[in-house]
Short mmCIF file of all heavy atoms in Angstrom, two decimals:
data_model
loop_
_atom_site.label_atom_id
_atom_site.label_comp_id
_atom_site.label_asym_id
_atom_site.label_seq_id
_atom_site.Cartn_x
_atom_site.Cartn_y
_atom_site.Cartn_z
N LEU A 1 -10.13 -31.68 9.64
CA LEU A 1 -10.22 -30.84 10.81
C LEU A 1 -8.81 -30.54 11.32
O LEU A 1 -8.08 -31.49 11.61
CB LEU A 1 -11.07 -31.55 11.90
CG LEU A 1 -11.36 -30.69 13.13
CD1 LEU A 1 -12.74 -30.98 13.66
CD2 LEU A 1 -10.31 -30.88 14.24
N PHE A 2 -8.49 -29.29 11.38
CA PHE A 2 -7.20 -28.85 11.90
C PHE A 2 -7.35 -28.40 13.34
O PHE A 2 -8.11 -27.48 13.59
CB PHE A 2 -6.63 -27.68 11.06
CG PHE A 2 -6.18 -28.05 9.69
CD1 PHE A 2 -7.06 -27.97 8.61
CD2 PHE A 2 -4.88 -28.52 9.45
CE1 PHE A 2 -6.64 -28.30 7.34
CE2 PHE A 2 -4.48 -28.84 8.21
CZ PHE A 2 -5.35 -28.77 7.11
N VAL A 3 -6.64 -29.01 14.24
CA VAL A 3 -6.59 -28.55 15.61
C VAL A 3 -5.54 -27.44 15.67
O VAL A 3 -4.38 -27.68 15.38
CB VAL A 3 -6.26 -29.68 16.62
CG1 VAL A 3 -6.05 -29.14 18.02
CG2 VAL A 3 -7.33 -30.75 16.59
N ALA A 4 -5.97 -26.25 16.00
CA ALA A 4 -5.07 -25.10 16.09
C ALA A 4 -4.38 -25.01 17.44
O ALA A 4 -3.25 -24.56 17.54
CB ALA A 4 -5.80 -23.82 15.75
N ASP A 5 -5.09 -25.42 18.46
CA ASP A 5 -4.57 -25.27 19.85
C ASP A 5 -5.34 -26.23 20.78
O ASP A 5 -6.52 -26.36 20.64
CB ASP A 5 -4.79 -23.84 20.31
CG ASP A 5 -3.72 -23.28 21.19
OD1 ASP A 5 -2.70 -23.95 21.41
OD2 ASP A 5 -3.88 -22.14 21.69
N LEU A 6 -4.59 -26.86 21.66
CA LEU A 6 -5.16 -27.70 22.70
C LEU A 6 -4.40 -27.44 23.99
O LEU A 6 -3.19 -27.40 23.99
CB LEU A 6 -5.03 -29.17 22.34
CG LEU A 6 -5.34 -30.17 23.48
CD1 LEU A 6 -6.78 -30.16 23.82
CD2 LEU A 6 -4.89 -31.58 23.10
N PHE A 7 -5.15 -27.20 25.02
CA PHE A 7 -4.50 -26.96 26.32
C PHE A 7 -5.39 -27.49 27.44
O PHE A 7 -6.63 -27.34 27.40
CB PHE A 7 -4.24 -25.48 26.57
CG PHE A 7 -3.59 -25.22 27.88
CD1 PHE A 7 -2.25 -25.52 28.10
CD2 PHE A 7 -4.33 -24.69 28.94
CE1 PHE A 7 -1.65 -25.31 29.33
CE2 PHE A 7 -3.73 -24.47 30.17
CZ PHE A 7 -2.41 -24.78 30.36
N VAL A 8 -4.75 -28.09 28.43
CA VAL A 8 -5.42 -28.51 29.65
C VAL A 8 -4.64 -27.93 30.83
O VAL A 8 -3.42 -28.00 30.87
CB VAL A 8 -5.45 -30.07 29.77
CG1 VAL A 8 -6.03 -30.49 31.09
CG2 VAL A 8 -6.21 -30.67 28.59
N SER A 9 -5.39 -27.30 31.75
CA SER A 9 -4.74 -26.71 32.90
C SER A 9 -3.90 -27.72 33.66
O SER A 9 -4.31 -28.90 33.83
CB SER A 9 -5.79 -26.12 33.87
OG SER A 9 -6.40 -25.00 33.28
N GLU A 10 -2.75 -27.30 34.13
CA GLU A 10 -1.81 -28.19 34.77
C GLU A 10 -2.38 -28.95 35.93
O GLU A 10 -2.13 -30.14 36.12
CB GLU A 10 -0.58 -27.41 35.22
CG GLU A 10 0.53 -28.30 35.79
CD GLU A 10 1.81 -27.55 36.08
OE1 GLU A 10 1.82 -26.32 35.97
OE2 GLU A 10 2.78 -28.20 36.42
N SER A 11 -3.24 -28.29 36.71
CA SER A 11 -3.80 -28.90 37.91
C SER A 11 -4.71 -30.09 37.59
O SER A 11 -5.02 -30.91 38.48
CB SER A 11 -4.55 -27.89 38.75
OG SER A 11 -5.65 -27.42 37.97
N ILE A 12 -5.13 -30.23 36.35
CA ILE A 12 -6.10 -31.28 36.00
C ILE A 12 -5.54 -32.26 34.98
O ILE A 12 -6.23 -33.20 34.57
CB ILE A 12 -7.40 -30.62 35.50
CG1 ILE A 12 -8.59 -31.58 35.64
CG2 ILE A 12 -7.29 -30.14 34.09
CD1 ILE A 12 -9.01 -31.76 37.06
N ARG A 13 -4.29 -32.06 34.56
CA ARG A 13 -3.71 -32.99 33.58
C ARG A 13 -3.71 -34.42 34.10
O ARG A 13 -3.61 -34.68 35.27
CB ARG A 13 -2.28 -32.55 33.24
CG ARG A 13 -2.29 -31.34 32.37
CD ARG A 13 -0.93 -31.02 31.80
NE ARG A 13 -1.03 -29.63 31.34
CZ ARG A 13 -0.15 -28.71 31.62
NH1 ARG A 13 0.95 -29.00 32.25
NH2 ARG A 13 -0.32 -27.50 31.18
N ARG A 14 -3.73 -35.35 33.19
CA ARG A 14 -3.80 -36.78 33.41
C ARG A 14 -5.14 -37.19 33.95
O ARG A 14 -5.31 -38.31 34.44
CB ARG A 14 -2.67 -37.24 34.35
CG ARG A 14 -1.30 -36.84 33.86
CD ARG A 14 -0.26 -37.88 34.19
NE ARG A 14 1.03 -37.49 33.75
CZ ARG A 14 1.52 -37.71 32.54
NH1 ARG A 14 0.79 -38.29 31.63
NH2 ARG A 14 2.73 -37.33 32.19
N GLY A 15 -6.14 -36.33 33.76
CA GLY A 15 -7.50 -36.68 34.17
C GLY A 15 -8.39 -36.96 32.97
O GLY A 15 -9.60 -36.89 33.07
N ASN A 16 -7.77 -37.20 31.80
CA ASN A 16 -8.48 -37.50 30.56
C ASN A 16 -9.21 -36.32 29.92
O ASN A 16 -10.03 -36.52 29.01
CB ASN A 16 -9.46 -38.70 30.74
CG ASN A 16 -8.71 -39.97 30.99
OD1 ASN A 16 -7.66 -40.22 30.36
ND2 ASN A 16 -9.21 -40.77 31.90
N VAL A 17 -8.92 -35.09 30.38
CA VAL A 17 -9.55 -33.90 29.83
C VAL A 17 -9.05 -33.70 28.40
O VAL A 17 -9.84 -33.47 27.46
CB VAL A 17 -9.31 -32.68 30.69
CG1 VAL A 17 -9.82 -31.41 30.01
CG2 VAL A 17 -9.99 -32.85 32.04
N GLY A 18 -7.74 -33.80 28.19
CA GLY A 18 -7.16 -33.65 26.84
C GLY A 18 -7.72 -34.72 25.87
O GLY A 18 -8.05 -34.40 24.75
N SER A 19 -7.79 -35.93 26.35
CA SER A 19 -8.36 -36.99 25.54
C SER A 19 -9.82 -36.69 25.19
O SER A 19 -10.23 -36.89 24.04
CB SER A 19 -8.30 -38.34 26.28
OG SER A 19 -6.97 -38.69 26.54
N ALA A 20 -10.60 -36.23 26.15
CA ALA A 20 -11.98 -35.91 25.89
C ALA A 20 -12.13 -34.83 24.80
O ALA A 20 -12.97 -34.91 23.92
CB ALA A 20 -12.70 -35.46 27.16
N LEU A 21 -11.26 -33.82 24.89
CA LEU A 21 -11.30 -32.76 23.85
C LEU A 21 -10.91 -33.31 22.49
O LEU A 21 -11.58 -33.01 21.49
CB LEU A 21 -10.36 -31.62 24.25
CG LEU A 21 -10.86 -30.69 25.36
CD1 LEU A 21 -9.70 -29.92 26.01
CD2 LEU A 21 -11.92 -29.75 24.81
N MET A 22 -9.86 -34.13 22.43
CA MET A 22 -9.45 -34.66 21.14
C MET A 22 -10.48 -35.62 20.57
O MET A 22 -10.74 -35.63 19.38
CB MET A 22 -8.10 -35.35 21.29
CG MET A 22 -6.93 -34.43 21.47
SD MET A 22 -6.65 -33.29 20.10
CE MET A 22 -6.02 -34.44 18.83
N PHE A 23 -11.09 -36.47 21.41
CA PHE A 23 -12.11 -37.38 20.91
C PHE A 23 -13.32 -36.61 20.41
O PHE A 23 -13.96 -37.02 19.42
CB PHE A 23 -12.48 -38.44 21.96
CG PHE A 23 -11.48 -39.55 22.02
CD1 PHE A 23 -10.62 -39.69 23.09
CD2 PHE A 23 -11.36 -40.48 20.99
CE1 PHE A 23 -9.67 -40.66 23.17
CE2 PHE A 23 -10.41 -41.51 21.04
CZ PHE A 23 -9.59 -41.60 22.13
N ARG A 24 -13.66 -35.52 21.07
CA ARG A 24 -14.80 -34.68 20.57
C ARG A 24 -14.44 -34.08 19.23
O ARG A 24 -15.26 -34.04 18.32
CB ARG A 24 -15.17 -33.62 21.61
CG ARG A 24 -16.32 -32.72 21.13
CD ARG A 24 -17.60 -33.54 20.95
NE ARG A 24 -18.66 -32.69 20.32
CZ ARG A 24 -19.24 -32.97 19.21
NH1 ARG A 24 -19.00 -34.10 18.54
NH2 ARG A 24 -20.15 -32.13 18.69
N ALA A 25 -13.16 -33.61 19.08
CA ALA A 25 -12.76 -33.07 17.79
C ALA A 25 -12.86 -34.12 16.71
O ALA A 25 -13.29 -33.85 15.57
CB ALA A 25 -11.34 -32.54 17.91
N ARG A 26 -12.51 -35.36 17.03
CA ARG A 26 -12.59 -36.44 16.06
C ARG A 26 -14.06 -36.72 15.68
O ARG A 26 -14.38 -36.98 14.53
CB ARG A 26 -11.91 -37.69 16.58
CG ARG A 26 -11.75 -38.75 15.47
CD ARG A 26 -10.81 -39.82 15.85
NE ARG A 26 -11.45 -40.68 16.85
CZ ARG A 26 -10.94 -41.83 17.28
NH1 ARG A 26 -9.76 -42.24 16.84
NH2 ARG A 26 -11.54 -42.56 18.17
N GLU A 27 -14.93 -36.64 16.67
CA GLU A 27 -16.40 -36.83 16.36
C GLU A 27 -16.87 -35.72 15.42
O GLU A 27 -17.62 -35.98 14.48
CB GLU A 27 -17.22 -36.76 17.67
CG GLU A 27 -17.09 -37.97 18.54
CD GLU A 27 -17.78 -37.74 19.90
OE1 GLU A 27 -18.53 -36.77 20.03
OE2 GLU A 27 -17.55 -38.55 20.78
N ILE A 28 -16.42 -34.49 15.67
CA ILE A 28 -16.84 -33.35 14.80
C ILE A 28 -16.27 -33.60 13.41
O ILE A 28 -16.96 -33.33 12.40
CB ILE A 28 -16.35 -32.03 15.42
CG1 ILE A 28 -17.13 -31.76 16.69
CG2 ILE A 28 -16.50 -30.89 14.41
CD1 ILE A 28 -16.54 -30.63 17.55
#
């Protein structure tokens, strides 16, 4: 699985949103 792009809006960073996206990608 190649991640082409990952972005989390600045106002919400450090709220585990990026981690949630990456962990879902790993599940896929």
Side-chain angles (χ1 to χ4, degrees):
L1 186 144
F2 289 92
V3 173
D5 214 6
L6 168 68
F7 179 74
V8 175
S9 292
E10 185 173 7
S11 63
I12 203 72
R13 285 190 198 132
R14 304 214 181 274
N16 293 321
V17 173
S19 298
L21 284 161
M22 288 297 289
F23 281 108
R24 180 62 188 123
R26 191 167 72 172
E27 288 173 12
I28 292 167

